[in-house]
Amino acid sequence: MSGQAEGIAIVGGGFSGAMLAARLAERGMASTLVNRTTDFGRGVAYSTPFDGHLLNVRSARMSALADQPGHFVAWLEANQPDLADPDGFAPRRVYGDYVRARLETVEAAHPGLVRRVIGDVAAIDDDGLRLSDGSRMAARAVVLATGNPAPRTAEVGASDRVIADPWASGTLDRIGLDDNVLIVGTGLTMVDMLLMIQGRGWTGRATALSRRGLMPRAHGERPDPALGPTETLLSGPLSRRLHEARRLSDSGGWREVMEGLRPITADLWTQADLSTRRRIVRHLRPFWDVHRHRLAPGIGATMQRLAAAGRLTVVTGRVRSITPHDHGVRLDWRARHGDAEPLTAPWLIDCTGPGHAADADPLTAPLIESGRARLDPLRLGLDLDPMGRVLDRDGRPDSALFVLGPPARAAFWETIAVPDIRKRIEDVASALAP
């Protein structure tokens, strides 16, 4: 074994893992941060080099510290004063610089409490980790902060014209400037990919397919005030609550309703019974996502211009098959109300979102098989307790195994945005305190 048995091993060096390591160090706890690359602190979300990729949350809400809400804006004022608008949407690349700077600042202030390791984790053991090179790392607890995995809808290797992982470095460079593209998925990833290829001078057309044809909504030009939720919105049958949300949206604005729900969403999810959760996932999740996780106003306007110019067409239906076709890709699909003509283009980009499958993941599948972990009833991910501890097959929390960040959605629902993750960081840090 290598490493200190009294330390904490964090798998994943993106925002969640890096900021947890920093918070633990500030509380006097040692950790080892294991990441596949040298780019600690960025992860997939903030590693984009394209400045057209903006944050989806205003800068005033993007502090990495729960108790210092102005921390990010203060950092911008000192390092990027031209971007220091609290109500603005900074480039994600710049936010990655901020995360890295915070980690480095904490490392300098607390020498020896954060250890960085570059490598792939092959397995989680009872007393630590095993890396792909065969080395072992002892730890008193392990935190899985692996971020969002690549999409899984398009079969990898089906065609070299299928871009199955759109975030892989340089993968979009193969698309010709006048090539048409097919896109599976109409959410935030689709928007990011269109922005990136358009930033390279792309002039082609895109056809995007999703089951409901929903695209992310945009923020207002200025921050929206929160509309306090009514008692009817917070309790009772889901159908009645949905009717109330629509009524409030009609009278006070849907953004205002979402702002009122934002601080209590995780609590509402954890308080909901299984039947209510199942109905939310089955019927409301797509509508919730496009209203909750919004675009910067300028990006929303760009998407509208692409659609108005006929360069972005959204169709509603389900994928039947994706196959090579001449010098491109053929997408067979079924429309909501019947068969549809196949779609063809030189390229297809899989933008269906994270392909979470805990029972197929090489790290978590063995934990489920051994009984150390279990899937949540809706199979959204591993089952966790309110502190983020993994529950075993009998529902007992494991004080040596935690999940943090996007993979914890099954337990908390809202685990993607920084304001939600930083709260979870505080909970995990408290649970890990000796």
Side-chain angles (χ1 to χ4, degrees), residues 156-399:
V156 177
S159 167
D160 62 359
R161 294 291 181 137
V162 173
I163 299 175
D165 182 0
W167 291 109
S169 179
T171 190
L172 296 181
D173 294 344
R174 297 181 290 153
I175 298 175
L177 296 185
D178 59 353
D179 285 349
N180 292 337
V181 297
L182 300 176
I183 301 176
V184 182
T186 58
L188 293 173
T189 304
M190 179 207 72
V191 173
D192 282 341
M193 296 306 110
L194 287 177
L195 290 172
M196 187 175 291
I197 60 176
Q198 188 178 35
R200 293 175 49 241
W202 173 75
T203 59
R205 297 174 183 270
T207 301
L209 167 72
S210 68
R211 292 185 179 182
R212 291 178 174 83
L214 299 172
M215 288 181 56
R217 277 39 172 181
H219 287 275
E221 290 295 334
R222 306 304 300 172
D224 297 294
L227 181 63
T230 62
E231 182 62 30
T232 302
L233 185 61
L234 299 179
S235 61
L238 190 59
S239 57
R240 188 176 69 182
R241 295 163 68 177
L242 179 59
H243 177 78
E244 178 71 355
R246 288 170 172 162
R247 185 189 70 80
L248 293 172
S249 296
D250 289 341
S251 61
W254 66 265
R255 293 188 184 92
E256 289 79 359
V257 172
M258 296 303 292
E259 288 302 308
L261 288 172
R262 182 184 58 79
I264 59 173
T265 301
D267 293 335
L268 293 176
W269 175 257
T270 56
Q271 294 164 9
D273 58 29
L274 180 58
S275 175
T276 299
R277 289 189 184 188
R278 182 175 288 113
R279 295 182 67 195
I280 290 172
V281 170
R282 183 174 181 180
H283 300 293
L284 294 183
R285 178 178 180 176
F287 300 94
W288 171 268
D289 284 348
V290 298
H291 289 85
R292 172 66 177 88
H293 303 290
R294 304 196 284 276
L295 305 171
I299 293 177
T302 297
M303 293 299 106
Q304 290 178 348
R305 286 194 295 270
L306 286 174
R311 296 183 57 208
L312 171 60
T313 301
V314 174
V315 296
T316 304
R318 295 173 179 262
V319 174
R320 281 182 162 175
S321 64
I322 299 170
T323 55
H325 177 75
D326 296 333
H327 298 292
V329 181
R330 169 177 167 144
L331 172 62
D332 287 285
W333 61 293
R334 179 177 176 82
R336 293 192 67 180
H337 303 295
D339 294 332
E341 290 295 317
L343 301 171
T344 61
W347 303 95
L348 182 143
I349 310 174
D350 187 348
C351 296
T352 52
H356 291 296
D359 51 348
D361 184 274
L363 284 184
T364 54
L367 299 173
I368 296 171
E369 184 176 359
S370 69
R372 189 177 179 187
R374 70 182 187 185
L375 288 173
D376 83 292
L378 300 180
R379 302 181 69 84
L380 296 176
L382 295 183
D383 211 1
L384 311 175
D385 79 350
M387 301 302 289
R389 295 177 294 191
V390 173
L391 301 179
D392 69 10
R393 65 159 58 102
D394 297 317
R396 296 171 299 197
D398 187 334
S399 60

Side-chain angles (χ1 to χ4, degrees), residues 73-84:
V73 174
W75 182 89
L76 286 173
E77 291 171 346
N79 296 276
Q80 297 275 351
D82 56 321
L83 298 175

